[in-house]
Amino acid sequence: MGITKSESFTEEQNEIANLLKALANPARVAIIQYLLKVDSCICGDIVNELPLAQPTISQHLKELKNANIIQGTIEGKSICYCINPETMSKIESYFGGISLKLKNKCC
Amino acid sequence: MGITKSESFTEEQNEIANLLKALANPARVAIIQYLLKVDSCICGDIVNELPLAQPTISQHLKELKNANIIQGTIEGKSICYCINPETMSKIESYFGGISLKLKNKCC
DNA sequence: ATTTATTATCGTAATATTGCAATATATAAA
DNA sequence: TTTATATATTGCAATATTACGATAATAAAT
C-alpha cells in the first residue's frame, strides 16, 4: 500500500524509523556532511554545493528540520541551518546500544 | 520523480543512505529489536511476533538481508536469521564520527 | 510419493517519495 | 516604492515503497 502500519508499532520504533527515514537519502546525507564540514551554520550555499535545484534542496531541508535533525535561524534575508546535536546524539546512542548488545552474543 | 539521483553523490553517501533506508521502517526496527532480544538466531516466529502477514515479513527480511544488516542460514526446513554485527558496527561508527565532530563545534 | 511446515515470489492496489518548473513570500538595499 | 536576493510553496510527473492474497518452492516427515 505504500502505507506503513505505524499504529502496530511502539512509539520508540516509529520515532527511530522516522529519524532514520529523514537521513535515508543521499542528498540529505550530503547536506549533513556539508553542514559538518563548514561546522558552523549556513544557508543556500548548499544549493551551490549540490547538483539539485533550489526547490529540491529546500524540501530536503524541510524534512531534516521536521525530524529535528537540523534547525534554522533567520539571519537577515537568509536562513542559517545547523545540525541539532541532541538529535544526532540520540541516534548515536541508539546504535551504540545495539552494538553493545551484539558484543556479548554471537549468532 | 520518486527517483533518487544517486549518480550525483559519492559512493559513501549512497551506501549510508541505503543502510539507513533499510532500517527506516517501524516493522524493520521491530524485527531488529526482536532479533536483539532473542539474541541468537530465529526465523518465522517474527511472523507470530509482529502484526503483519507472512509475505510482508518475508519482504522486510529480504530488504534487511540485501542491505547486509541481517544474514540467514538454512537450518532444516526453516531459515535462521541473525543480525550482522559488522554492518551494525559500521553504522554505529558513522554516527559516532558525527557526534565526535559535533562535540568540538557548536552552532 | 504424499503430506506438512516453512519461506519466497508474483501480482496488484494504495500510498509515499523525489525532483523540478513556476510561482509566491520575505527581507534588505537602492 | 522598486528592485534584488533568499527561501518556501504549489502542482505536477515519474518512480518507489508497503502490504497482502494467491501461489510457488523447498525440505522434513509419514
Side-chain angles (χ1 to χ4, degrees), chain B residues 38-105:
Chain B
V38 298
D39 76 49
S40 81
C41 310
I42 358 106
C43 52
D45 335 81
I46 303 176
V47 175
N48 297 323
E49 195 70 11
L50 301 188
L52 294 172
Q54 179 269 321
T56 307
I57 300 287
S58 186
Q59 195 178 285
H60 283 308
L61 288 172
K62 189 182 178 185
E63 281 181 66
L64 289 169
K65 205 166 39 174
N66 283 343
N68 238 304
I69 290 170
I70 64 172
Q71 52 207 167
T73 45
I74 298 169
E75 192 158 300
K77 64 184 165 187
S78 63
I79 291 175
C80 199
Y81 285 107
C82 63
I83 294 178
N84 183 338
E86 287 177 30
T87 306
M88 276 300 179
S89 146
K90 183 188 280 181
I91 299 173
E92 189 212 0
S93 50
Y94 179 74
F95 286 110
I98 289 181
S99 278
L100 205 71
K101 274 184 201 151
L102 285 174
K103 250 162 221 152
N104 303 340
K105 349 269 172 177

Side-chain angles (χ1 to χ4, degrees), chain A residues 40-89:
Chain A
S40 79
C41 309
I42 0 104
C43 53
D45 335 81
I46 302 176
V47 176
N48 296 323
E49 195 69 12
L50 300 188
L52 294 172
Q54 179 270 321
T56 307
I57 299 288
S58 187
Q59 194 180 286
H60 282 309
L61 288 172
K62 190 182 177 184
E63 281 181 66
L64 289 169
K65 206 167 37 176
N66 284 344
N68 239 304
I69 290 170
I70 63 171
Q71 53 207 167
T73 46
I74 298 169
E75 194 159 299
K77 65 183 163 187
S78 62
I79 291 176
C80 199
Y81 285 108
C82 63
I83 294 177
N84 182 337
E86 287 176 31
T87 307
M88 276 300 180
S89 144

